[in-house]
Amino acid sequence: MQVLQVQLEVGADPAEVGRARRWARSRLAGSGIEEDEPLAETLVLLISELVTNAVVHTGCPAVLRMLFGRAGVRVEVADASDRPPAPRRADGDATNGRGLELVDGLADRWGWQREGAGKSIWCEVDRAESVRDEAGRAESAPGVAAPRDGQRDGQRPVVPAPSAGTARGTGAGPVLWLSPGRMRC
């Protein structure tokens, strides 16, 4: 299965969240997912939440990755903090504290893993209810194995990432892999 992977380095400024959303919309459109499709709206909201969490809770730059496969889209946000994500329950009128709850409700799967000196939080959204490979087996999102029960909270199937410096992207210029272990606050 072929997977297209793109990424964007996001600065530590909360204003960068809007730039990440605009970038994501353009990459979604470039992959054939139109802006007004429910899938695009869901992915942009998930990206907004994960990038906001990374920037606000770490105060450090982050890396947003999108992996497009036939079965779905995987979003990863890597940052330099080694603290695991901490889901919270927001009180009724609270203006924050709902990010991971939204991710849990909107994504088909999500989790986190250590990456370098930091971590990567990921989520996956399937393109269709039932996508089958050539042998008739159900596929999960780009390049990953189907999840097992309880796979949230840090258990992630392994998706090989290119080494630092490997160029990948769409037509928007070179995209260089930045390892969270090399990010500095």
Side-chain angles (χ1 to χ4, degrees):
M1 170 177 55
Q2 191 173 27
V3 176
L4 171 65
Q5 187 163 333
V6 295
Q7 79 174 28
L8 172 72
E9 187 172 347
V10 180
D13 181 356
E16 288 281 279
V17 176
R19 184 173 73 92
R21 281 192 300 263
R22 289 187 298 279
W23 178 86
R25 283 187 189 104
S26 73
R27 296 308 174 274
L28 289 166
S31 75
I33 301 171
E34 296 303 319
E35 186 173 329
D36 60 348
E37 288 183 47
L39 176 61
E41 294 171 1
T42 298
L43 287 164
V44 170
L45 179 54
L46 289 165
I47 287 165
S48 184
E49 290 301 327
L50 293 178
V51 171
T52 297
N53 283 353
V55 171
V56 169
H57 295 295
T58 70
C60 298
V63 175
L64 165 61
R65 297 183 194 114
M66 296 172 59
L67 293 85
F68 298 91
R70 192 171 67 113
V73 180
R74 180 184 184 103
V75 173
E76 299 177 353
V77 177
D79 61 52
S81 171
D82 64 351
R83 288 185 320 186
R88 301 183 310 185
R89 283 265 186 227
D91 292 331
D93 292 334
T95 58
N96 58 22
R98 293 177 180 85
L100 290 178
E101 194 172 339
L102 280 170
V103 171
D104 187 55
L106 294 172
D108 291 303
R109 289 162 297 284
W110 76 276
W112 70 280
Q113 72 175 29
R114 301 229 179 263
E115 186 172 308
K119 69 178 171 307
S120 174
I121 300 177
W122 58 271
C123 64
E124 297 172 347
V125 178
D126 297 334
R127 285 185 187 249
E129 263 322 291
S130 177
V131 176
R132 304 261 172 210
D133 68 9
E134 294 79 23
R137 295 180 303 256
E139 290 184 1
S140 72
V144 298
R148 298 177 309 273
D149 288 339
Q151 193 167 354
R152 297 178 195 261
D153 302 325
Q155 298 175 359
R156 169 193 152 171
V158 176
V159 176
S163 58
T166 302
R168 281 259 174 99
T170 60
V175 178
L176 298 178
W177 285 97
L178 178 66
S179 166
R182 295 182 180 177
M183 285 189 256
R184 300 282 184 245
C185 286

